[in-house]
Amino acid sequence: TDVKISCRLSETEVVAEIDRILIEQVLVNIVKNAVESCGQTGLVEISTEPNWVIVADNGKGISEEVAQNLFSPFFSTKVNGQGIGLMFAAEILRRHGFEFSLATDATDGITRFTIVLGR
């Protein structure tokens, strides 16, 4: 596998009150999904700004049909997937009061998991 991971981090410190261990698990899950989406080759970019974190990938993308079910319990597009990773991530992000979205942009084909930390 030749998937590259790059980081584009904000020069301004990103500050949010979080449960570090749970948010770490969420980010590991999101990055793992992005890498898996790329298949054998691709690019995953983690970027931050003061109010958000985005994990983007140029993998296979998410169809409208799949997008509607992404955070549903036990829904998975993976052969042996259990469908709990994104459900777990969504629950943790909601508990922190963060808004989030996961979608593939039709114009550039990039899939972005966006976490809005606050306003």
Side-chain angles (χ1 to χ4, degrees):
T1 303
D2 188 25
V3 176
K4 299 200 181 341
I5 298 177
S6 71
C7 293
R8 188 174 51 82
L9 305 178
S10 171
E11 291 183 22
T12 304
E13 188 173 317
V14 177
V15 179
E17 222 172 285
I18 62 168
D19 180 314
R20 188 186 62 79
I21 293 171
L22 290 176
I23 293 298
E24 180 180 308
Q25 286 300 310
V26 167
L27 292 172
V28 165
N29 185 298
I30 293 169
V31 171
K32 181 177 175 280
N33 283 350
V35 168
E36 289 173 355
S37 172
C38 290
Q40 292 301 309
T41 61
L43 176 64
V44 174
E45 180 180 75
I46 302 161
S47 56
T48 64
E49 285 297 329
N51 292 333
W52 50 258
V53 174
I54 295 177
V55 176
D57 70 76
N58 64 350
K60 62 186 175 204
I62 301 169
S63 70
E64 275 297 317
E65 181 183 337
V66 168
Q68 293 174 7
N69 295 301
L70 279 176
F71 299 100
S72 301
F74 311 113
F75 175 81
S76 181
T77 59
K78 299 175 187 173
V79 175
N80 294 315
Q82 298 175 353
I84 57 175
L86 285 177
M87 185 181 72
F88 167 79
E91 180 60 25
I92 297 306
L93 293 171
R94 281 188 202 103
R95 285 185 184 185
H96 280 79
F98 299 155
E99 295 177 24
F100 58 92
S101 63
L102 174 58
T104 300
D105 187 317
T107 57
D108 63 11
I110 302 296
T111 300
R112 293 175 180 85
F113 195 117
T114 303
I115 302 169
V116 180
L117 302 173
R119 303 244 183 250

Short mmCIF file of all heavy atoms in Angstrom, two decimals, residues 23-85:
data_model
loop_
_atom_site.label_atom_id
_atom_site.label_comp_id
_atom_site.label_asym_id
_atom_site.label_seq_id
_atom_site.Cartn_x
_atom_site.Cartn_y
_atom_site.Cartn_z
N ILE A 23 -11.49 11.29 21.96
CA ILE A 23 -11.28 12.01 20.70
C ILE A 23 -10.12 11.40 19.92
O ILE A 23 -10.16 11.31 18.69
CB ILE A 23 -11.08 13.52 20.94
CG1 ILE A 23 -12.38 14.15 21.48
CG2 ILE A 23 -10.62 14.23 19.67
CD1 ILE A 23 -13.58 14.07 20.55
N GLU A 24 -9.11 10.91 20.61
CA GLU A 24 -8.01 10.21 19.94
C GLU A 24 -8.55 8.98 19.21
O GLU A 24 -8.19 8.73 18.06
CB GLU A 24 -6.96 9.80 20.96
CG GLU A 24 -5.78 9.07 20.35
CD GLU A 24 -4.76 8.68 21.41
OE1 GLU A 24 -4.33 9.54 22.18
OE2 GLU A 24 -4.39 7.48 21.44
N GLN A 25 -9.43 8.23 19.85
CA GLN A 25 -10.03 7.05 19.22
C GLN A 25 -10.85 7.44 17.99
O GLN A 25 -10.83 6.76 16.97
CB GLN A 25 -10.89 6.28 20.21
CG GLN A 25 -10.09 5.50 21.22
CD GLN A 25 -9.20 4.47 20.53
OE1 GLN A 25 -9.63 3.70 19.69
NE2 GLN A 25 -7.92 4.48 20.86
N VAL A 26 -11.58 8.54 18.10
CA VAL A 26 -12.38 9.04 16.97
C VAL A 26 -11.46 9.37 15.81
O VAL A 26 -11.70 8.94 14.66
CB VAL A 26 -13.22 10.28 17.38
CG1 VAL A 26 -13.79 10.98 16.16
CG2 VAL A 26 -14.33 9.88 18.34
N LEU A 27 -10.39 10.11 16.07
CA LEU A 27 -9.48 10.50 14.99
C LEU A 27 -8.77 9.30 14.38
O LEU A 27 -8.60 9.23 13.16
CB LEU A 27 -8.49 11.54 15.49
CG LEU A 27 -9.11 12.90 15.83
CD1 LEU A 27 -8.09 13.80 16.50
CD2 LEU A 27 -9.69 13.55 14.59
N VAL A 28 -8.36 8.35 15.20
CA VAL A 28 -7.74 7.12 14.68
C VAL A 28 -8.71 6.42 13.75
O VAL A 28 -8.35 5.99 12.64
CB VAL A 28 -7.28 6.19 15.83
CG1 VAL A 28 -6.97 4.79 15.32
CG2 VAL A 28 -6.08 6.79 16.54
N ASN A 29 -9.97 6.31 14.15
CA ASN A 29 -10.99 5.65 13.34
C ASN A 29 -11.19 6.38 12.02
O ASN A 29 -11.26 5.75 10.95
CB ASN A 29 -12.30 5.59 14.15
CG ASN A 29 -13.39 4.83 13.45
OD1 ASN A 29 -13.82 5.21 12.37
ND2 ASN A 29 -13.84 3.76 14.07
N ILE A 30 -11.28 7.70 12.07
CA ILE A 30 -11.52 8.49 10.85
C ILE A 30 -10.34 8.37 9.90
O ILE A 30 -10.52 8.16 8.69
CB ILE A 30 -11.79 9.97 11.22
CG1 ILE A 30 -13.12 10.09 11.98
CG2 ILE A 30 -11.80 10.84 9.97
CD1 ILE A 30 -13.35 11.45 12.62
N VAL A 31 -9.12 8.48 10.41
CA VAL A 31 -7.94 8.38 9.54
C VAL A 31 -7.82 6.97 8.97
O VAL A 31 -7.54 6.79 7.78
CB VAL A 31 -6.66 8.79 10.30
CG1 VAL A 31 -5.41 8.48 9.50
CG2 VAL A 31 -6.71 10.28 10.65
N LYS A 32 -8.08 5.96 9.78
CA LYS A 32 -8.04 4.56 9.31
C LYS A 32 -9.04 4.36 8.17
O LYS A 32 -8.71 3.76 7.14
CB LYS A 32 -8.35 3.62 10.47
CG LYS A 32 -8.33 2.16 10.13
CD LYS A 32 -8.59 1.33 11.40
CE LYS A 32 -8.71 -0.13 11.12
NZ LYS A 32 -10.02 -0.52 10.62
N ASN A 33 -10.26 4.88 8.33
CA ASN A 33 -11.26 4.76 7.27
C ASN A 33 -10.80 5.47 6.00
O ASN A 33 -10.99 4.97 4.89
CB ASN A 33 -12.60 5.35 7.72
CG ASN A 33 -13.35 4.44 8.65
OD1 ASN A 33 -13.00 3.28 8.86
ND2 ASN A 33 -14.40 4.97 9.26
N ALA A 34 -10.19 6.65 6.15
CA ALA A 34 -9.71 7.40 4.99
C ALA A 34 -8.62 6.63 4.25
O ALA A 34 -8.64 6.53 3.02
CB ALA A 34 -9.21 8.77 5.43
N VAL A 35 -7.69 6.06 5.00
CA VAL A 35 -6.61 5.27 4.38
C VAL A 35 -7.19 4.06 3.66
O VAL A 35 -6.82 3.78 2.51
CB VAL A 35 -5.56 4.84 5.45
CG1 VAL A 35 -4.61 3.79 4.90
CG2 VAL A 35 -4.80 6.05 5.97
N GLU A 36 -8.12 3.37 4.29
CA GLU A 36 -8.74 2.19 3.67
C GLU A 36 -9.51 2.58 2.41
O GLU A 36 -9.53 1.83 1.43
CB GLU A 36 -9.65 1.49 4.65
CG GLU A 36 -8.89 0.77 5.75
CD GLU A 36 -9.78 0.20 6.85
OE1 GLU A 36 -11.01 0.42 6.82
OE2 GLU A 36 -9.24 -0.47 7.75
N SER A 37 -10.13 3.74 2.41
CA SER A 37 -10.87 4.21 1.24
C SER A 37 -9.96 4.41 0.03
O SER A 37 -10.38 4.24 -1.11
CB SER A 37 -11.59 5.53 1.57
OG SER A 37 -12.16 6.08 0.42
N CYS A 38 -8.70 4.74 0.28
CA CYS A 38 -7.75 5.00 -0.80
C CYS A 38 -7.32 3.73 -1.53
O CYS A 38 -6.82 3.80 -2.65
CB CYS A 38 -6.51 5.72 -0.26
SG CYS A 38 -6.85 7.42 0.24
N GLY A 39 -7.48 2.59 -0.90
CA GLY A 39 -7.04 1.35 -1.54
C GLY A 39 -5.53 1.24 -1.55
O GLY A 39 -4.87 1.45 -0.53
N GLN A 40 -4.95 0.95 -2.71
CA GLN A 40 -3.50 0.74 -2.81
C GLN A 40 -2.69 2.03 -2.85
O GLN A 40 -1.55 2.06 -2.39
CB GLN A 40 -3.18 -0.11 -4.05
CG GLN A 40 -3.67 -1.53 -3.94
CD GLN A 40 -3.06 -2.25 -2.74
OE1 GLN A 40 -1.85 -2.26 -2.54
NE2 GLN A 40 -3.91 -2.84 -1.91
N THR A 41 -3.25 3.09 -3.42
CA THR A 41 -2.54 4.37 -3.49
C THR A 41 -3.51 5.50 -3.20
O THR A 41 -4.70 5.40 -3.48
CB THR A 41 -1.91 4.62 -4.88
OG1 THR A 41 -2.96 4.67 -5.85
CG2 THR A 41 -0.92 3.54 -5.25
N GLY A 42 -2.99 6.57 -2.67
CA GLY A 42 -3.84 7.72 -2.41
C GLY A 42 -3.19 8.69 -1.45
O GLY A 42 -2.04 8.53 -1.04
N LEU A 43 -3.98 9.69 -1.08
CA LEU A 43 -3.51 10.74 -0.19
C LEU A 43 -4.57 11.03 0.86
O LEU A 43 -5.75 11.20 0.53
CB LEU A 43 -3.20 12.02 -0.98
CG LEU A 43 -2.79 13.24 -0.16
CD1 LEU A 43 -1.47 12.98 0.56
CD2 LEU A 43 -2.68 14.46 -1.04
N VAL A 44 -4.15 11.09 2.10
CA VAL A 44 -5.01 11.50 3.21
C VAL A 44 -4.38 12.76 3.79
O VAL A 44 -3.18 12.78 4.06
CB VAL A 44 -5.10 10.41 4.30
CG1 VAL A 44 -5.88 10.91 5.50
CG2 VAL A 44 -5.74 9.15 3.72
N GLU A 45 -5.18 13.81 3.93
CA GLU A 45 -4.67 15.06 4.49
C GLU A 45 -5.46 15.41 5.74
O GLU A 45 -6.68 15.44 5.71
CB GLU A 45 -4.77 16.21 3.50
CG GLU A 45 -4.23 17.52 4.09
CD GLU A 45 -4.32 18.68 3.13
OE1 GLU A 45 -5.44 19.20 2.95
OE2 GLU A 45 -3.28 19.07 2.59
N ILE A 46 -4.73 15.66 6.82
CA ILE A 46 -5.34 16.10 8.07
C ILE A 46 -5.05 17.59 8.18
O ILE A 46 -3.88 18.00 8.12
CB ILE A 46 -4.74 15.35 9.28
CG1 ILE A 46 -4.92 13.84 9.09
CG2 ILE A 46 -5.36 15.84 10.58
CD1 ILE A 46 -4.02 13.00 9.95
N SER A 47 -6.10 18.40 8.27
CA SER A 47 -5.89 19.84 8.37
C SER A 47 -6.69 20.41 9.53
O SER A 47 -7.74 19.87 9.91
CB SER A 47 -6.26 20.54 7.06
OG SER A 47 -7.58 20.25 6.69
N THR A 48 -6.13 21.47 10.11
CA THR A 48 -6.80 22.12 11.24
C THR A 48 -6.85 23.62 11.03
O THR A 48 -6.00 24.20 10.35
CB THR A 48 -6.08 21.84 12.58
OG1 THR A 48 -4.78 22.42 12.53
CG2 THR A 48 -5.98 20.37 12.87
N GLU A 49 -7.84 24.20 11.61
CA GLU A 49 -8.00 25.64 11.76
C GLU A 49 -8.52 25.82 13.18
O GLU A 49 -8.91 24.84 13.81
CB GLU A 49 -8.96 26.21 10.72
CG GLU A 49 -8.38 26.31 9.32
CD GLU A 49 -7.19 27.27 9.21
OE1 GLU A 49 -7.14 28.27 9.96
OE2 GLU A 49 -6.31 27.02 8.39
N PRO A 50 -8.56 27.04 13.70
CA PRO A 50 -8.98 27.21 15.09
C PRO A 50 -10.32 26.57 15.46
O PRO A 50 -10.50 26.14 16.58
CB PRO A 50 -9.01 28.73 15.27
CG PRO A 50 -7.96 29.21 14.32
CD PRO A 50 -8.08 28.29 13.13
N ASN A 51 -11.25 26.48 14.51
CA ASN A 51 -12.58 25.96 14.84
C ASN A 51 -12.93 24.63 14.19
O ASN A 51 -14.05 24.17 14.32
CB ASN A 51 -13.67 26.98 14.47
CG ASN A 51 -13.60 28.20 15.35
OD1 ASN A 51 -13.14 28.13 16.49
ND2 ASN A 51 -14.04 29.32 14.83
N TRP A 52 -12.01 24.02 13.46
CA TRP A 52 -12.35 22.76 12.82
C TRP A 52 -11.14 21.88 12.54
O TRP A 52 -10.02 22.34 12.50
CB TRP A 52 -13.17 22.95 11.55
CG TRP A 52 -12.65 23.94 10.54
CD1 TRP A 52 -13.12 25.20 10.34
CD2 TRP A 52 -11.60 23.76 9.58
NE1 TRP A 52 -12.40 25.81 9.34
CE2 TRP A 52 -11.47 24.94 8.85
CE3 TRP A 52 -10.74 22.70 9.30
CZ2 TRP A 52 -10.53 25.11 7.85
CZ3 TRP A 52 -9.80 22.86 8.29
CH2 TRP A 52 -9.72 24.05 7.57
N VAL A 53 -11.46 20.61 12.35
CA VAL A 53 -10.49 19.60 11.93
C VAL A 53 -11.10 18.89 10.73
O VAL A 53 -12.28 18.53 10.76
CB VAL A 53 -10.23 18.57 13.07
CG1 VAL A 53 -9.33 17.45 12.58
CG2 VAL A 53 -9.66 19.24 14.30
N ILE A 54 -10.31 18.69 9.70
CA ILE A 54 -10.79 17.97 8.51
C ILE A 54 -9.81 16.85 8.18
O ILE A 54 -8.60 17.06 8.14
CB ILE A 54 -10.93 18.89 7.28
CG1 ILE A 54 -12.00 19.95 7.53
CG2 ILE A 54 -11.26 18.07 6.03
CD1 ILE A 54 -12.16 20.95 6.39
N VAL A 55 -10.37 15.66 7.95
CA VAL A 55 -9.58 14.54 7.42
C VAL A 55 -10.14 14.30 6.02
O VAL A 55 -11.32 13.95 5.85
CB VAL A 55 -9.72 13.28 8.30
CG1 VAL A 55 -8.96 12.11 7.66
CG2 VAL A 55 -9.20 13.54 9.71
N ALA A 56 -9.30 14.53 5.01
CA ALA A 56 -9.72 14.42 3.61
C ALA A 56 -8.95 13.30 2.92
O ALA A 56 -7.79 13.05 3.24
CB ALA A 56 -9.48 15.74 2.89
N ASP A 57 -9.61 12.64 1.97
CA ASP A 57 -8.91 11.60 1.20
C ASP A 57 -9.40 11.61 -0.24
O ASP A 57 -10.48 12.09 -0.54
CB ASP A 57 -9.12 10.21 1.82
CG ASP A 57 -10.52 9.67 1.67
OD1 ASP A 57 -10.88 9.23 0.55
OD2 ASP A 57 -11.27 9.69 2.66
N ASN A 58 -8.55 11.10 -1.13
CA ASN A 58 -8.91 11.01 -2.54
C ASN A 58 -9.23 9.57 -2.93
O ASN A 58 -8.97 9.12 -4.03
CB ASN A 58 -7.81 11.59 -3.43
CG ASN A 58 -6.50 10.80 -3.35
OD1 ASN A 58 -6.34 9.93 -2.50
ND2 ASN A 58 -5.57 11.12 -4.23
N GLY A 59 -9.86 8.86 -2.00
CA GLY A 59 -10.25 7.47 -2.23
C GLY A 59 -11.46 7.36 -3.12
O GLY A 59 -11.80 8.26 -3.89
N LYS A 60 -12.16 6.23 -2.99
CA LYS A 60 -13.26 5.91 -3.91
C LYS A 60 -14.50 6.78 -3.75
O LYS A 60 -15.36 6.80 -4.61
CB LYS A 60 -13.64 4.43 -3.76
CG LYS A 60 -14.12 4.06 -2.39
CD LYS A 60 -14.33 2.57 -2.27
CE LYS A 60 -14.71 2.25 -0.84
NZ LYS A 60 -14.41 0.91 -0.47
N GLY A 61 -14.61 7.48 -2.66
CA GLY A 61 -15.75 8.39 -2.48
C GLY A 61 -16.96 7.69 -1.88
O GLY A 61 -16.97 6.46 -1.69
N ILE A 62 -17.97 8.49 -1.56
CA ILE A 62 -19.19 8.00 -0.92
C ILE A 62 -20.39 8.37 -1.78
O ILE A 62 -20.59 9.54 -2.08
CB ILE A 62 -19.34 8.64 0.48
CG1 ILE A 62 -18.13 8.31 1.35
CG2 ILE A 62 -20.63 8.20 1.14
CD1 ILE A 62 -18.07 9.11 2.63
N SER A 63 -21.18 7.37 -2.14
CA SER A 63 -22.38 7.64 -2.94
C SER A 63 -23.45 8.26 -2.05
O SER A 63 -23.40 8.17 -0.83
CB SER A 63 -22.91 6.33 -3.55
OG SER A 63 -23.45 5.51 -2.52
N GLU A 64 -24.46 8.88 -2.67
CA GLU A 64 -25.58 9.47 -1.92
C GLU A 64 -26.28 8.42 -1.06
O GLU A 64 -26.62 8.67 0.09
CB GLU A 64 -26.60 10.09 -2.89
CG GLU A 64 -26.25 11.50 -3.31
CD GLU A 64 -26.24 12.47 -2.15
OE1 GLU A 64 -27.14 12.43 -1.27
OE2 GLU A 64 -25.31 13.29 -2.10
N GLU A 65 -26.50 7.24 -1.64
CA GLU A 65 -27.19 6.16 -0.92
C GLU A 65 -26.41 5.75 0.33
O GLU A 65 -26.97 5.62 1.42
CB GLU A 65 -27.37 4.96 -1.84
CG GLU A 65 -28.09 3.81 -1.17
CD GLU A 65 -28.19 2.59 -2.07
OE1 GLU A 65 -28.11 2.74 -3.31
OE2 GLU A 65 -28.34 1.49 -1.53
N VAL A 66 -25.11 5.57 0.18
CA VAL A 66 -24.27 5.19 1.32
C VAL A 66 -24.23 6.33 2.34
O VAL A 66 -24.31 6.09 3.54
CB VAL A 66 -22.85 4.80 0.85
CG1 VAL A 66 -21.89 4.69 2.02
CG2 VAL A 66 -22.89 3.51 0.06
N ALA A 67 -24.12 7.57 1.86
CA ALA A 67 -24.04 8.72 2.76
C ALA A 67 -25.23 8.79 3.70
O ALA A 67 -25.09 9.18 4.86
CB ALA A 67 -23.94 10.01 1.94
N GLN A 68 -26.41 8.39 3.26
CA GLN A 68 -27.61 8.45 4.09
C GLN A 68 -27.57 7.45 5.24
O GLN A 68 -28.28 7.61 6.23
CB GLN A 68 -28.86 8.20 3.24
CG GLN A 68 -29.12 9.31 2.25
CD GLN A 68 -30.28 8.98 1.32
OE1 GLN A 68 -30.96 7.98 1.49
NE2 GLN A 68 -30.49 9.84 0.33
N ASN A 69 -26.75 6.41 5.13
CA ASN A 69 -26.70 5.36 6.14
C ASN A 69 -25.41 5.32 6.95
O ASN A 69 -25.27 4.47 7.84
CB ASN A 69 -26.89 3.99 5.46
CG ASN A 69 -28.26 3.85 4.86
OD1 ASN A 69 -29.26 3.95 5.55
ND2 ASN A 69 -28.30 3.65 3.56
N LEU A 70 -24.48 6.22 6.67
CA LEU A 70 -23.14 6.14 7.26
C LEU A 70 -23.09 6.02 8.77
O LEU A 70 -22.30 5.28 9.31
CB LEU A 70 -22.30 7.35 6.84
CG LEU A 70 -21.69 7.24 5.46
CD1 LEU A 70 -20.96 8.53 5.11
CD2 LEU A 70 -20.74 6.07 5.38
N PHE A 71 -23.92 6.75 9.48
CA PHE A 71 -23.84 6.77 10.93
C PHE A 71 -24.90 5.88 11.57
O PHE A 71 -25.14 5.95 12.77
CB PHE A 71 -23.93 8.21 11.44
CG PHE A 71 -22.80 9.07 10.93
CD1 PHE A 71 -22.99 9.92 9.85
CD2 PHE A 71 -21.55 8.99 11.50
CE1 PHE A 71 -21.94 10.70 9.36
CE2 PHE A 71 -20.49 9.76 11.02
CZ PHE A 71 -20.69 10.63 9.96
N SER A 72 -25.52 5.02 10.77
CA SER A 72 -26.53 4.09 11.28
C SER A 72 -25.85 2.89 11.94
O SER A 72 -24.81 2.42 11.47
CB SER A 72 -27.41 3.57 10.13
OG SER A 72 -28.05 4.63 9.48
N PRO A 73 -26.46 2.38 13.01
CA PRO A 73 -25.87 1.21 13.68
C PRO A 73 -25.74 0.02 12.73
O PRO A 73 -26.66 -0.28 11.97
CB PRO A 73 -26.87 0.90 14.79
CG PRO A 73 -27.65 2.15 14.99
CD PRO A 73 -27.66 2.85 13.66
N PHE A 74 -24.59 -0.60 12.74
CA PHE A 74 -24.31 -1.85 12.02
C PHE A 74 -24.31 -1.72 10.50
O PHE A 74 -24.29 -2.72 9.80
CB PHE A 74 -25.24 -2.97 12.49
CG PHE A 74 -25.30 -3.07 13.99
CD1 PHE A 74 -26.46 -2.76 14.67
CD2 PHE A 74 -24.17 -3.41 14.72
CE1 PHE A 74 -26.50 -2.81 16.06
CE2 PHE A 74 -24.20 -3.47 16.10
CZ PHE A 74 -25.37 -3.17 16.78
N PHE A 75 -24.31 -0.49 9.97
CA PHE A 75 -24.18 -0.29 8.53
C PHE A 75 -22.70 -0.20 8.18
O PHE A 75 -21.95 0.55 8.80
CB PHE A 75 -24.89 0.99 8.07
CG PHE A 75 -24.66 1.28 6.61
CD1 PHE A 75 -25.42 0.63 5.65
CD2 PHE A 75 -23.68 2.16 6.21
CE1 PHE A 75 -25.21 0.88 4.30
CE2 PHE A 75 -23.45 2.41 4.86
CZ PHE A 75 -24.23 1.77 3.91
N SER A 76 -22.27 -0.99 7.20
CA SER A 76 -20.88 -0.96 6.77
C SER A 76 -20.78 -1.24 5.29
O SER A 76 -21.57 -2.01 4.74
CB SER A 76 -20.06 -2.01 7.55
OG SER A 76 -18.71 -1.95 7.12
N THR A 77 -19.81 -0.62 4.65
CA THR A 77 -19.53 -0.92 3.25
C THR A 77 -18.35 -1.89 3.14
O THR A 77 -18.01 -2.32 2.05
CB THR A 77 -19.18 0.37 2.47
OG1 THR A 77 -18.05 0.98 3.09
CG2 THR A 77 -20.35 1.33 2.47
N LYS A 78 -17.74 -2.21 4.27
CA LYS A 78 -16.59 -3.12 4.28
C LYS A 78 -17.07 -4.57 4.34
O LYS A 78 -18.07 -4.88 4.98
CB LYS A 78 -15.69 -2.83 5.49
CG LYS A 78 -15.12 -1.43 5.47
CD LYS A 78 -14.35 -1.16 6.74
CE LYS A 78 -13.93 0.30 6.81
NZ LYS A 78 -13.32 0.62 8.10
N VAL A 79 -16.34 -5.46 3.68
CA VAL A 79 -16.71 -6.87 3.61
C VAL A 79 -16.93 -7.47 4.99
O VAL A 79 -17.94 -8.11 5.25
CB VAL A 79 -15.65 -7.68 2.83
CG1 VAL A 79 -15.97 -9.16 2.85
CG2 VAL A 79 -15.54 -7.18 1.40
N ASN A 80 -16.01 -7.26 5.90
CA ASN A 80 -16.14 -7.80 7.25
C ASN A 80 -16.42 -6.71 8.28
O ASN A 80 -16.17 -6.89 9.47
CB ASN A 80 -14.87 -8.58 7.65
CG ASN A 80 -14.70 -9.82 6.80
OD1 ASN A 80 -15.65 -10.55 6.57
ND2 ASN A 80 -13.49 -10.04 6.32
N GLY A 81 -16.94 -5.58 7.81
CA GLY A 81 -17.20 -4.46 8.70
C GLY A 81 -18.37 -4.72 9.64
O GLY A 81 -19.32 -5.41 9.29
N GLN A 82 -18.27 -4.16 10.83
CA GLN A 82 -19.33 -4.33 11.82
C GLN A 82 -20.23 -3.11 11.92
O GLN A 82 -21.26 -3.14 12.58
CB GLN A 82 -18.71 -4.64 13.19
CG GLN A 82 -17.94 -5.93 13.17
CD GLN A 82 -17.23 -6.17 14.50
OE1 GLN A 82 -17.22 -5.33 15.38
NE2 GLN A 82 -16.64 -7.34 14.63
N GLY A 83 -19.81 -1.98 11.31
CA GLY A 83 -20.66 -0.80 11.30
C GLY A 83 -20.74 -0.07 12.63
O GLY A 83 -21.72 0.62 12.89
N ILE A 84 -19.70 -0.22 13.46
CA ILE A 84 -19.76 0.49 14.74
C ILE A 84 -18.75 1.65 14.82
O ILE A 84 -18.89 2.50 15.68
CB ILE A 84 -19.57 -0.46 15.94
CG1 ILE A 84 -18.27 -1.22 15.83
CG2 ILE A 84 -20.75 -1.39 16.08
CD1 ILE A 84 -17.95 -2.08 17.04
N GLY A 85 -17.79 1.70 13.94
CA GLY A 85 -16.76 2.74 13.99
C GLY A 85 -17.31 4.14 13.84
O GLY A 85 -17.06 5.01 14.68
#
